[in-house]
Amino acid sequence: FALLGQRRFAPFFWTQFLGAANDNLFKFAFTVLVTYQLQVEWLPPSLAGLAIGALFILPFLLFSATSGQLADKLDKALLMRFVKSLEIGIMGLAAWAFVQDAVNVRVVTLLACVFLMGLHSTLFGPVKFAYLPQHLGEREITGGNGMVEMGTFVAILLGNVVGGLLIGMAEGGSQAVAIGCVALALLGRVVVQFVPPTPATDPTLKINPNPFTETWRNLKLAHGNLVVFRSLLGISWMWFFGAVFLSQFPAFAKEVLHGNEQVASLLLVVFSIGIGIGSLLCEVLSRRHVEIGLVPLGAMGMSVFSIALYFAARGLPPAEIMGLAAFMDQGAHWRIMLDLALLSLFAGLYSVPMYA
């Protein structure tokens, strides 16, 4: 945590923290809106989380290689400032959409904003991970990655909880979400101004505008270093795994656990706290070095507690939609939360060494 007191790390940490919080406040509020509150014929509640998650991920698939080139060619602090300015514009459009009365206009515009926020995060991603090796030493790199991973999931937690609470307000929920999204974007733009200059690693790089050939070139380059390539595959699998859970929590809470919006938020709280604890444990267990031996331990834990979660959830009797207090009163639900917490703790142990 000492890194949080240093200019080389703290402004960067809070910039990525606020970006992740805003992503998730916006996405979760929108998901809850179309799962619980709006009737949209062409977007059934059971598919809303998947559609929103897929739209958000699509820019990563298309533009990650191009974003990586930009991160190599440009000063990373300047690129971060551009990305945070872009976020203000996207959240301004989303704020307008949240307060519209016409359901189709509202939903279509918000879906477009999901894609644009995915593009914003795609541009930020390579900068986020290339920044750390330029400012941290070898004995700080695992701790720095652990802090960023922990911060990302705490931001996911807070963003989802606040998004769920705001959109669930009896009156003015959509307006409150609109204000929250714009406020976080503005705060992020202020904080990023304090990120120190981070010179380009390859300022003469010629940008390849074709994302498909550049992606293929990067995959071939990574394959030439097996440690990098296997870490790339492993991290991708972790995000595939995590995205399935994160996108399905509202539908899982409603259809399987028979809980309301607050129960969906609780699942995200438990999941995010577990990953945060697991990420910080890496620093202790690896003794300040990159310890790849934590990866198989994490993978086994994720598998065991995913299976345990399935058996804990499959036998629940049919019930009316219940609030948080009623949900917490049932012992079977505590087992579900414990399985979810341990599953996510092992996900933290699994991912941080590969990022490092």
Side-chain angles (χ1 to χ4, degrees):
F1 288 100
L3 288 170
L4 286 178
Q6 301 175 26
R7 192 188 166 199
R8 63 193 173 122
F9 185 79
F12 159 75
F13 175 86
W14 292 115
T15 296
Q16 65 88 29
F17 182 94
L18 289 165
N22 209 7
D23 275 346
N24 288 280
L25 188 157
F26 165 62
K27 282 194 301 172
F28 194 66
F30 181 30
T31 304
V32 168
L33 186 71
V34 291
T35 302
Y36 287 92
Q37 297 177 15
L38 293 182
Q39 298 296 319
V40 186
E41 287 183 9
W42 47 271
L43 188 64
S46 58
L47 294 178
L50 282 174
I52 290 167
L55 259 183
F56 185 77
I57 293 297
L58 184 59
F60 287 87
L61 190 65
L62 296 175
F63 305 119
S64 283
T66 307
S67 301
Q69 293 178 90
L70 291 172
D72 280 342
K73 185 176 179 64
L74 304 173
D75 183 299
K76 293 170 186 61
L78 289 177
L79 192 51
M80 284 189 222
R81 285 168 198 152
F82 167 76
V83 170
K84 299 310 284 185
S85 298
L86 180 64
E87 184 183 343
I88 294 171
I90 298 167
M91 287 295 94
L93 179 60
W96 173 83
F98 267 117
V99 298
Q100 295 307 299
D101 292 324
V103 172
N104 282 338
V105 171
R106 195 177 186 184
V107 173
V108 169
T109 307
L110 288 173
L111 285 171
C113 290
V114 169
F115 179 85
L116 290 172
M117 281 303 280
L119 177 61
H120 145 276
S121 296
T122 303
L123 289 169
F124 191 80
V127 184
K128 172 178 169 179
F129 292 110
Y131 178 90
L132 292 176
Q134 284 186 253
H135 291 273
L136 301 184
E138 191 272 334
R139 289 177 64 82
E140 297 172 314
I141 202 78
T142 296
N145 273 282
M147 286 295 292
V148 169
E149 186 83 341
M150 179 274 296
T152 299
F153 277 91
V154 170
I156 289 172
L157 155 66
L158 293 176
N160 283 310
V161 170
V162 172
L165 291 174
L166 291 180
I167 201 68
M169 289 166 56
E171 290 183 18
S174 292
Q175 290 88 337
V177 171
I179 293 167
C181 287
V182 173
L184 280 177
L186 290 169
L187 183 57
R189 184 61 185 84
V190 171
V191 172
V192 77
Q193 206 61 35
F194 296 94
V195 173
T198 308
T201 50
D202 189 2
T204 61
L205 177 71
K206 187 176 179 182
I207 302 286
N208 176 4
N210 186 326
F212 303 104
T213 57
E214 185 61 22
T215 298
W216 182 247
R217 191 189 73 81
N218 275 322
L219 287 172
K220 285 170 66 178
L221 181 69
H223 193 261
N225 184 328
L226 274 182
V227 174
V228 171
F229 188 67
R230 288 170 180 166
S231 294
L232 187 153
L233 291 178
I235 290 167
S236 299
W237 181 80
M238 192 279 288
W239 278 107
F240 166 75
F241 183 95
V244 170
F245 278 83
L246 291 169
S247 65
Q248 286 300 298
F249 277 145
F252 179 62
K254 183 181 180 184
E255 306 294 339
V256 179
L257 303 183
H258 315 294
N260 66 3
E261 298 99 321
Q262 293 176 327
V263 174
S265 294
L266 175 66
L267 298 179
L268 286 156
V269 169
V270 172
F271 191 78
S272 303
I273 288 174
I275 288 202
I277 292 170
S279 299
L280 292 179
L281 271 177
C282 284
E283 172 80 341
V284 178
L285 296 174
S286 66
R287 296 186 179 88
R288 291 177 175 256
H289 293 283
V290 179
E291 179 47 77
I292 211 73
L294 293 173
V295 175
L297 173 66
M300 286 187 282
M302 290 165 74
S303 302
V304 167
F305 289 105
S306 296
I307 295 165
L309 178 66
Y310 164 73
F311 283 110
R314 71 183 293 228
L316 296 176
E320 296 293 318
I321 297 294
M322 65 187 86
L324 191 58
F327 180 82
M328 299 290 282
D329 276 343
Q330 298 189 25
H333 295 155
W334 284 91
R335 181 186 160 192
I336 287 169
M337 289 189 291
L338 179 63
D339 288 336
L340 192 58
L342 290 169
L343 179 162
S344 56
L345 184 150
F346 279 101
L349 287 180
Y350 172 86
S351 61
V352 169
M354 289 188 290
Y355 273 124

